[in-house]
PDB file of all heavy atoms in Angstrom:
ATOM      1  N   ASN A 291     -12.767   1.359 -17.630  1.00 89.00           N
ATOM      2  CA  ASN A 291     -12.509   1.602 -19.053  1.00 89.00           C
ATOM      3  C   ASN A 291     -11.626   0.548 -19.709  1.00 89.00           C
ATOM      4  O   ASN A 291     -11.255   0.685 -20.874  1.00 89.00           O
ATOM      5  CB  ASN A 291     -11.895   2.992 -19.253  1.00 89.00           C
ATOM      6  CG  ASN A 291     -10.497   3.108 -18.684  1.00 89.00           C
ATOM      7  OD1 ASN A 291      -9.947   2.144 -18.141  1.00 89.00           O
ATOM      8  ND2 ASN A 291      -9.919   4.284 -18.792  1.00 89.00           N
ATOM      9  N   SER A 293      -8.543  -0.316 -18.659  1.00 94.00           N
ATOM     10  CA  SER A 293      -7.137  -0.145 -18.297  1.00 94.00           C
ATOM     11  C   SER A 293      -6.783  -1.121 -17.179  1.00 94.00           C
ATOM     12  O   SER A 293      -7.598  -1.411 -16.304  1.00 94.00           O
ATOM     13  CB  SER A 293      -6.860   1.279 -17.819  1.00 94.00           C
ATOM     14  OG  SER A 293      -7.109   2.195 -18.849  1.00 94.00           O
ATOM     15  N   PHE A 295      -3.646  -2.116 -14.302  1.00 96.00           N
ATOM     16  CA  PHE A 295      -2.505  -1.550 -13.595  1.00 96.00           C
ATOM     17  C   PHE A 295      -1.819  -2.643 -12.790  1.00 96.00           C
ATOM     18  O   PHE A 295      -2.481  -3.425 -12.113  1.00 96.00           O
ATOM     19  CB  PHE A 295      -2.972  -0.420 -12.675  1.00 96.00           C
ATOM     20  CG  PHE A 295      -3.792   0.606 -13.405  1.00 96.00           C
ATOM     21  CD1 PHE A 295      -5.170   0.594 -13.317  1.00 96.00           C
ATOM     22  CD2 PHE A 295      -3.178   1.556 -14.204  1.00 96.00           C
ATOM     23  CE1 PHE A 295      -5.939   1.518 -13.995  1.00 96.00           C
ATOM     24  CE2 PHE A 295      -3.944   2.489 -14.894  1.00 96.00           C
ATOM     25  CZ  PHE A 295      -5.322   2.474 -14.797  1.00 96.00           C
ATOM     26  N   PHE A 310       5.781   0.107 -11.436  1.00 95.00           N
ATOM     27  CA  PHE A 310       4.414   0.231 -11.921  1.00 95.00           C
ATOM     28  C   PHE A 310       4.428   0.163 -13.445  1.00 95.00           C
ATOM     29  O   PHE A 310       5.299   0.727 -14.101  1.00 95.00           O
ATOM     30  CB  PHE A 310       3.834   1.588 -11.494  1.00 95.00           C
ATOM     31  CG  PHE A 310       2.565   1.963 -12.205  1.00 95.00           C
ATOM     32  CD1 PHE A 310       1.347   1.495 -11.757  1.00 95.00           C
ATOM     33  CD2 PHE A 310       2.596   2.778 -13.325  1.00 95.00           C
ATOM     34  CE1 PHE A 310       0.174   1.832 -12.416  1.00 95.00           C
ATOM     35  CE2 PHE A 310       1.435   3.126 -13.985  1.00 95.00           C
ATOM     36  CZ  PHE A 310       0.216   2.654 -13.535  1.00 95.00           C
ATOM     37  N   ARG A 312       1.311   0.020 -16.831  1.00 96.00           N
ATOM     38  CA  ARG A 312      -0.115   0.069 -17.154  1.00 96.00           C
ATOM     39  C   ARG A 312      -0.352  -0.391 -18.582  1.00 96.00           C
ATOM     40  O   ARG A 312       0.515  -0.283 -19.448  1.00 96.00           O
ATOM     41  CB  ARG A 312      -0.666   1.471 -16.960  1.00 96.00           C
ATOM     42  CG  ARG A 312      -0.144   2.458 -17.966  1.00 96.00           C
ATOM     43  CD  ARG A 312      -0.701   3.828 -17.739  1.00 96.00           C
ATOM     44  NE  ARG A 312       0.003   4.758 -18.627  1.00 96.00           N
ATOM     45  CZ  ARG A 312      -0.053   6.041 -18.515  1.00 96.00           C
ATOM     46  NH1 ARG A 312      -0.784   6.596 -17.577  1.00 96.00           N
ATOM     47  NH2 ARG A 312       0.597   6.812 -19.340  1.00 96.00           N
ATOM     48  N   MET A 314      -3.369   0.124 -21.460  1.00 94.00           N
ATOM     49  CA  MET A 314      -4.583   0.860 -21.813  1.00 94.00           C
ATOM     50  C   MET A 314      -5.484   0.054 -22.744  1.00 94.00           C
ATOM     51  O   MET A 314      -6.546   0.516 -23.142  1.00 94.00           O
ATOM     52  CB  MET A 314      -4.216   2.200 -22.458  1.00 94.00           C
ATOM     53  CG  MET A 314      -3.272   3.055 -21.603  1.00 94.00           C
ATOM     54  SD  MET A 314      -3.870   3.358 -19.940  1.00 94.00           S
ATOM     55  CE  MET A 314      -4.962   4.709 -20.271  1.00 94.00           C
ATOM     56  N   THR A 346     -13.309   6.877  -8.285  1.00 87.00           N
ATOM     57  CA  THR A 346     -13.054   8.146  -8.982  1.00 87.00           C
ATOM     58  C   THR A 346     -11.882   8.041  -9.949  1.00 87.00           C
ATOM     59  O   THR A 346     -11.547   9.017 -10.613  1.00 87.00           O
ATOM     60  CB  THR A 346     -12.770   9.277  -7.976  1.00 87.00           C
ATOM     61  OG1 THR A 346     -11.568   8.958  -7.245  1.00 87.00           O
ATOM     62  CG2 THR A 346     -13.927   9.469  -7.030  1.00 87.00           C
ATOM     63  N   GLY A 347     -11.235   6.857 -10.018  1.00 90.00           N
ATOM     64  CA  GLY A 347     -10.110   6.664 -10.918  1.00 90.00           C
ATOM     65  C   GLY A 347      -8.754   6.932 -10.292  1.00 90.00           C
ATOM     66  O   GLY A 347      -7.728   6.788 -10.960  1.00 90.00           O
ATOM     67  N   LEU A 348      -8.708   7.309  -9.027  1.00 91.00           N
ATOM     68  CA  LEU A 348      -7.437   7.526  -8.342  1.00 91.00           C
ATOM     69  C   LEU A 348      -6.723   6.192  -8.185  1.00 91.00           C
ATOM     70  O   LEU A 348      -7.323   5.205  -7.745  1.00 91.00           O
ATOM     71  CB  LEU A 348      -7.676   8.154  -6.964  1.00 91.00           C
ATOM     72  CG  LEU A 348      -6.434   8.477  -6.147  1.00 91.00           C
ATOM     73  CD1 LEU A 348      -5.712   9.683  -6.744  1.00 91.00           C
ATOM     74  CD2 LEU A 348      -6.815   8.766  -4.692  1.00 91.00           C
ATOM     75  N   LEU A 349      -5.448   6.151  -8.558  1.00 94.00           N
ATOM     76  CA  LEU A 349      -4.625   4.967  -8.324  1.00 94.00           C
ATOM     77  C   LEU A 349      -3.920   5.138  -6.989  1.00 94.00           C
ATOM     78  O   LEU A 349      -3.360   6.209  -6.708  1.00 94.00           O
ATOM     79  CB  LEU A 349      -3.577   4.798  -9.421  1.00 94.00           C
ATOM     80  CG  LEU A 349      -4.089   4.483 -10.814  1.00 94.00           C
ATOM     81  CD1 LEU A 349      -2.940   4.488 -11.811  1.00 94.00           C
ATOM     82  CD2 LEU A 349      -4.780   3.140 -10.829  1.00 94.00           C
ATOM     83  N   VAL A 350      -3.939   4.097  -6.180  1.00 94.00           N
ATOM     84  CA  VAL A 350      -3.286   4.110  -4.878  1.00 94.00           C
ATOM     85  C   VAL A 350      -2.388   2.881  -4.798  1.00 94.00           C
ATOM     86  O   VAL A 350      -2.862   1.757  -4.993  1.00 94.00           O
ATOM     87  CB  VAL A 350      -4.314   4.072  -3.728  1.00 94.00           C
ATOM     88  CG1 VAL A 350      -3.611   4.151  -2.378  1.00 94.00           C
ATOM     89  CG2 VAL A 350      -5.351   5.175  -3.883  1.00 94.00           C
ATOM     90  N   THR A 362      -0.005   8.094  -4.796  1.00 95.00           N
ATOM     91  CA  THR A 362      -1.257   8.174  -5.544  1.00 95.00           C
ATOM     92  C   THR A 362      -1.016   8.813  -6.908  1.00 95.00           C
ATOM     93  O   THR A 362      -0.065   9.579  -7.094  1.00 95.00           O
ATOM     94  CB  THR A 362      -2.314   9.001  -4.788  1.00 95.00           C
ATOM     95  OG1 THR A 362      -1.814  10.318  -4.575  1.00 95.00           O
ATOM     96  CG2 THR A 362      -2.669   8.353  -3.460  1.00 95.00           C
ATOM     97  N   SER A 363      -1.897   8.496  -7.837  1.00 95.00           N
ATOM     98  CA  SER A 363      -1.875   9.096  -9.168  1.00 95.00           C
ATOM     99  C   SER A 363      -3.305   9.403  -9.583  1.00 95.00           C
ATOM    100  O   SER A 363      -4.160   8.517  -9.565  1.00 95.00           O
ATOM    101  CB  SER A 363      -1.236   8.156 -10.187  1.00 95.00           C
ATOM    102  OG  SER A 363      -1.349   8.708 -11.490  1.00 95.00           O
ATOM    103  N   ALA A 364      -3.542  10.648  -9.971  1.00 94.00           N
ATOM    104  CA  ALA A 364      -4.874  11.061 -10.417  1.00 94.00           C
ATOM    105  C   ALA A 364      -4.990  11.049 -11.938  1.00 94.00           C
ATOM    106  O   ALA A 364      -6.050  11.368 -12.476  1.00 94.00           O
ATOM    107  CB  ALA A 364      -5.196  12.451  -9.874  1.00 94.00           C
ATOM    108  N   ASP A 365      -3.903  10.672 -12.637  1.00 95.00           N
ATOM    109  CA  ASP A 365      -3.920  10.722 -14.098  1.00 95.00           C
ATOM    110  C   ASP A 365      -3.573   9.378 -14.743  1.00 95.00           C
ATOM    111  O   ASP A 365      -2.933   9.319 -15.774  1.00 95.00           O
ATOM    112  CB  ASP A 365      -2.991  11.828 -14.601  1.00 95.00           C
ATOM    113  CG  ASP A 365      -1.551  11.642 -14.148  1.00 95.00           C
ATOM    114  OD1 ASP A 365      -1.209  10.570 -13.589  1.00 95.00           O
ATOM    115  OD2 ASP A 365      -0.759  12.580 -14.350  1.00 95.00           O
ATOM    116  N   GLY A 366      -4.006   8.295 -14.107  1.00 93.00           N
ATOM    117  CA  GLY A 366      -3.819   6.972 -14.689  1.00 93.00           C
ATOM    118  C   GLY A 366      -2.407   6.450 -14.634  1.00 93.00           C
ATOM    119  O   GLY A 366      -2.063   5.520 -15.360  1.00 93.00           O
ATOM    120  N   GLY A 367      -1.561   7.050 -13.803  1.00 94.00           N
ATOM    121  CA  GLY A 367      -0.190   6.575 -13.657  1.00 94.00           C
ATOM    122  C   GLY A 367       0.838   7.358 -14.447  1.00 94.00           C
ATOM    123  O   GLY A 367       2.004   6.980 -14.467  1.00 94.00           O
ATOM    124  N   SER A 368       0.444   8.455 -15.074  1.00 94.00           N
ATOM    125  CA  SER A 368       1.420   9.283 -15.792  1.00 94.00           C
ATOM    126  C   SER A 368       2.332  10.029 -14.826  1.00 94.00           C
ATOM    127  O   SER A 368       3.510  10.232 -15.102  1.00 94.00           O
ATOM    128  CB  SER A 368       0.714  10.284 -16.711  1.00 94.00           C
ATOM    129  OG  SER A 368       0.035   9.605 -17.739  1.00 94.00           O
ATOM    130  N   SER A 369       1.775  10.457 -13.694  1.00 95.00           N
ATOM    131  CA  SER A 369       2.567  11.114 -12.657  1.00 95.00           C
ATOM    132  C   SER A 369       2.104  10.613 -11.300  1.00 95.00           C
ATOM    133  O   SER A 369       0.967  10.137 -11.158  1.00 95.00           O
ATOM    134  CB  SER A 369       2.429  12.636 -12.753  1.00 95.00           C
ATOM    135  OG  SER A 369       1.093  13.025 -12.519  1.00 95.00           O
ATOM    136  N   TRP A 370       2.977  10.734 -10.298  1.00 95.00           N
ATOM    137  CA  TRP A 370       2.714  10.176  -8.975  1.00 95.00           C
ATOM    138  C   TRP A 370       3.055  11.185  -7.892  1.00 95.00           C
ATOM    139  O   TRP A 370       3.953  12.002  -8.051  1.00 95.00           O
ATOM    140  CB  TRP A 370       3.545   8.908  -8.757  1.00 95.00           C
ATOM    141  CG  TRP A 370       3.104   7.792  -9.642  1.00 95.00           C
ATOM    142  CD1 TRP A 370       3.545   7.514 -10.908  1.00 95.00           C
ATOM    143  CD2 TRP A 370       2.103   6.828  -9.359  1.00 95.00           C
ATOM    144  NE1 TRP A 370       2.892   6.426 -11.410  1.00 95.00           N
ATOM    145  CE2 TRP A 370       2.003   5.985 -10.481  1.00 95.00           C
ATOM    146  CE3 TRP A 370       1.288   6.581  -8.253  1.00 95.00           C
ATOM    147  CZ2 TRP A 370       1.106   4.917 -10.524  1.00 95.00           C
ATOM    148  CZ3 TRP A 370       0.404   5.518  -8.301  1.00 95.00           C
ATOM    149  CH2 TRP A 370       0.316   4.693  -9.423  1.00 95.00           C
ATOM    150  N   SER A 371       2.345  11.088  -6.782  1.00 94.00           N
ATOM    151  CA  SER A 371       2.683  11.888  -5.605  1.00 94.00           C
ATOM    152  C   SER A 371       4.007  11.390  -5.034  1.00 94.00           C
ATOM    153  O   SER A 371       4.456  10.280  -5.344  1.00 94.00           O
ATOM    154  CB  SER A 371       1.588  11.749  -4.542  1.00 94.00           C
ATOM    155  OG  SER A 371       1.570  10.427  -4.012  1.00 94.00           O
TER     156      SER A 371
END
Side-chain angles (χ1 to χ4, degrees):
N291 68 1
S293 297
F295 307 101
F310 166 84
R312 69 180 172 193
M314 306 305 278
T346 63
L348 182 73
L349 294 174
V350 183
T362 59
S363 174
D365 59 9
S368 294
S369 63
W370 292 89
S371 68

